[in-house]
Amino acid sequence: MPKDPENNKKEVKQGLSRRGFLGSVGAGAVVAVSLKDTAPARAQEIEATGETATLQLIINGSKRKVLVEPRWSLAYVLREVLGLTGTKIGCERGECGACTVLIDGKTQYSCMTLAVEAEGREITTIEGLMQGDKLGPVQQAFLEEDAFQCGFCTPGQIVAVEGLLRRNPEPNIDQIRTGVSGNLCRCGAYKHIFNAAEKASRLKKQGGAS
Ligand code: FES
Ligand code: FES
């Protein structure tokens, strides 16, 4: 959850901005990449002021205007402001991958990304992988391979596989393991998840879900 704004302002004054902090702890993430080095100047300006700002986010192909505080994570804005609760929050510190989304087609931990840093980028959430009323190929493959137990990690796993297949449409098993290594499953459904990734690759090649 967002923390007290007064404390946040103090941190900024002391040179310990949330973005700087996230950048330092995000270095260990295997799959997700940090936007901190490529954040547009406007994001940096908004973050420095500590004041609320109106952003235009591009989410699942639609432009959405949202009023955000600079310290709010993208995960928080997706869930609590826009109601896109398919994106889950587990650890909220870049360790579990439950919050994985695609930003400009690349996997990203949305808990480690400030909403202001995502302005103007193409954000894809688990909801955006639907094909109309039907499941997309990766979602369908997870269903057919029974690739979940409690299901909490599943949206993040599916988005991670989607990101993998966009950059490597026919990964081998080692590449699949590496591709989803930033996503933890406390239920241990990994074998089924790997099978689902292989099936999703085949389904995509055939042009969609079966
Ligand atoms: S909630 Fe983002 S990595 Fe765990
Ligand atoms: S299915 Fe329960 S955490 Fe992965």
Side-chain angles (χ1 to χ4, degrees), residues 88-100 109-112 182:
K88 304 301 180 197
I89 295 179
C91 66
E92 212 176 2
R93 56 183 185 189
E95 291 179 357
C96 73
C99 64
T100 303
Y109 294 154
S110 60
C111 75
M112 301 285 286

